[in-house]
């Protein structure tokens, strides 16, 4: 199960990077949406806390990948990937 989750996560990250680079999505806004999608609640179960933490982590990974691509890019060139 963990391998499947990891694979789906990586596909999602790569897709988000590709869509951002093509100008289809606003990357920072997408990351902010991930961070806000599961807010703490008094009735939330344990798995929702874990899901919220993982969404926070994914948003951070996307932001870090964006920063890495920008720092490595030369004028007119953007490098893809996750650092």
């Amino acid at each position: 199960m963990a391998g499947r989750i990891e694979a789906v996560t990586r596909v999602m990250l790569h897709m988000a990077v590709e869509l951002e680079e093509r100008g289809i999505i606003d990357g920072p806004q997408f990351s902010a949406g991930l961070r806000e999608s599961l807010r703490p609640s008094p009735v939330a179960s344990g798995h929702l806390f874990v899901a919220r933490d993982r969404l926070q982590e994914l948003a951070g990974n996307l932001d870090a990948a964006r920063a890495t691509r920008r720092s490595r890019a030369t004028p007119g060139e953007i490098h893809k990937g996750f650092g």
Side-chain angles (χ1 to χ4, degrees):
M1 183 66 150
R4 290 179 183 164
I5 293 169
E6 180 69 20
V8 170
T9 300
R10 288 183 179 267
V11 166
M12 193 281 306
L13 289 171
H14 284 287
M15 189 179 329
V17 166
E18 187 68 29
L19 292 173
E20 181 179 350
E21 288 183 353
R22 291 178 184 223
I24 297 171
I25 65 169
D26 178 325
Q29 184 178 14
F30 183 77
S31 293
L34 290 177
R35 287 185 175 95
E36 296 293 320
S37 63
L38 282 175
R39 295 183 182 172
S41 164
V43 295
S45 64
H47 74 280
L48 289 180
F49 289 112
V50 173
R52 186 191 70 221
D53 290 346
R54 296 299 68 82
L55 288 172
Q56 298 285 328
E57 183 180 342
L58 289 173
N61 289 343
L62 287 170
D63 293 341
R66 183 180 315 105
T68 298
R69 288 191 314 276
R70 287 183 180 161
S71 71
R72 293 188 307 186
T74 58
E77 178 184 23
I78 295 178
H79 296 273
K80 297 178 182 179
F82 296 102

